[in-house]
Amino acid sequence: MKTNFLLLTVLILTLSSCSSDDSGNAYFNYFPLTSDNSWIYEVEGQTTNFDNLYVGDEIILNNKSYQQMKTTDVPFGFYSSLLRDNGLRNEGQKLLLTGTLALDLGVDIPLDFALEDFILINNDAASNEVMSTKSGTISQDLNGTPITIDYTIKSTALETLPSFTTSKNVTYTDVKKVNFVINVEVTTLQTIPGTNITIPIPILNSQDVLTATHYYAQDIGMVYANNIISYSLAINPADFGLDIPQTSSQSQNEFLDSYTVN
């Protein structure tokens, strides 16, 4: 009888230990989602500015519970813009984002993408493994011309670094590196004069208009991001009434300045 009781006790303790390990969700390590946690980023681009990102209240989206991410002001950096007003939640080993991503290329072509449970981090993903992808088509109007936007958004797990030092000489340990890319193609249909034949005319050939590399440190969150936003139009902008350069490329760096994590 005593032997049976001892075996039962060991079994209960073992199951309890396994349950405790499973509930210690890794995303509370690489992105602590406790309300009022906050991160201030120094954003270096054409100018230097600061973004204040924090975890807001719980919200329900598609019958699922998320923490809504907020900023104190309209953000300058892509990372805070990606999360602002959107929901984050942990599921197993994944950090999932649901909401709307708006990207401004400065070309008078509004780019708004709807994301649902898009994976930002997957602790089980191998290096160079695609974690999440979202493709779609958007129809819009460009100065009176109907256009079609085909897009693909992709997140890829890169390597895990034992340590990472920023150019500001700040070192973090146990860092996960993630790649985030938005590829866009923009076309319009033009009718050949004197016929009923329409042909697609490229405005923006398929290209990566945003490439972002994010670094997440254990027990802290995102500590550094490098964002490259660029485009090369396939048209003469003046033909479409666009007062913009035909090509543009800008690099933006986001450094964690300070943080509060509970």
Side-chain angles (χ1 to χ4, degrees):
M1 188 69 174
K2 289 183 178 179
T3 301
N4 291 338
F5 178 76
L6 179 59
L7 290 174
L8 179 60
T9 301
V10 171
L11 178 60
I12 291 173
L13 289 175
T14 300
L15 292 175
S16 175
S17 174
C18 292
S19 176
S20 176
D21 289 343
D22 291 341
S23 65
N25 194 303
Y27 283 112
F28 286 98
N29 293 327
Y30 289 95
F31 198 99
L33 267 178
T34 304
S35 293
D36 295 328
N37 281 357
S38 63
W39 301 263
I40 295 178
Y41 294 102
E42 181 179 358
V43 183
E44 294 184 352
Q46 295 177 333
T47 60
T48 298
N49 299 278
F50 288 86
D51 288 339
N52 190 336
L53 175 72
Y54 64 95
V55 181
D57 296 331
E58 180 182 6
I59 57 174
I60 303 299
L61 300 172
N62 302 323
N63 296 318
K64 299 174 184 177
S65 176
Y66 297 81
Q67 295 297 130
Q68 187 174 37
M69 302 302 298
K70 306 292 290 184
T71 59
T72 54
D73 298 291
V74 176
F76 295 91
F78 170 74
Y79 186 74
S80 294
S81 299
L82 169 66
L83 300 188
R84 184 184 189 221
D85 293 333
N86 292 330
L88 289 183
R89 71 183 182 94
N90 293 287
E91 182 179 84
Q93 295 298 311
K94 301 172 184 177
L95 177 67
L96 307 173
L97 178 145
T98 290
T100 301
L101 166 60
L103 180 65
D104 182 10
L105 295 179
V107 295
D108 290 341
I109 302 176
L111 299 175
D112 296 314
F113 311 106
L115 299 175
E116 182 175 352
D117 282 344
F118 190 90
I119 302 172
L120 295 183
I121 312 174
N122 181 356
N123 290 334
D124 288 335
S127 181
N128 296 317
E129 178 181 334
V130 175
M131 300 182 294
S132 206
T133 183
K134 168 69 184 295
S135 297
T137 299
I138 303 172
S139 297
Q140 292 185 354
D141 185 88
L142 176 63
N143 290 353
T145 299
I147 61 174
T148 299
I149 302 169
D150 294 300
Y151 69 89
T152 298
I153 304 173
K154 181 172 64 175
S155 62
T156 304
L158 302 180
E159 64 268 33
T160 299
L161 307 173
S163 67
F164 169 71
T165 302
T166 71
S167 60
K168 294 185 179 295
N169 204 32
V170 179
T171 299
Y172 302 94
T173 58
D174 193 355
V175 174
K176 287 191 176 292
K177 189 176 176 183
V178 174
N179 189 239
F180 187 96
V181 173
I182 300 177
N183 182 279
V184 170
E185 179 181 18
V186 182
T187 58
T188 186
L189 289 176
Q190 296 290 315
T191 302
I192 298 177
T195 73
N196 293 322
I197 301 173
T198 58
I199 58 174
I201 302 295
I203 295 177
L204 189 76
N205 290 321
S206 177
Q207 58 194 270
D208 295 341
V209 296
L210 178 125
T211 302
T213 306
H214 300 151
Y215 295 74
Y216 293 86
Q218 184 179 14
D219 298 325
I220 297 176
M222 203 284 290
V223 297
Y224 171 70
N226 173 253
N227 314 310
I228 298 175
I229 301 172
S230 64
Y231 69 85
S232 179
L233 296 178
I235 59 166
N236 180 354
D239 291 343
F240 287 80
L242 301 175
D243 185 21
I244 58 172
Q246 189 157 10
T247 63
S248 176
S249 180
Q250 55 181 306
S251 179
Q252 182 187 78
N253 294 299
E254 301 177 74
F255 298 91
L256 181 62
D257 181 74
S258 61
Y259 64 95
T260 299
V261 169
N262 301 304

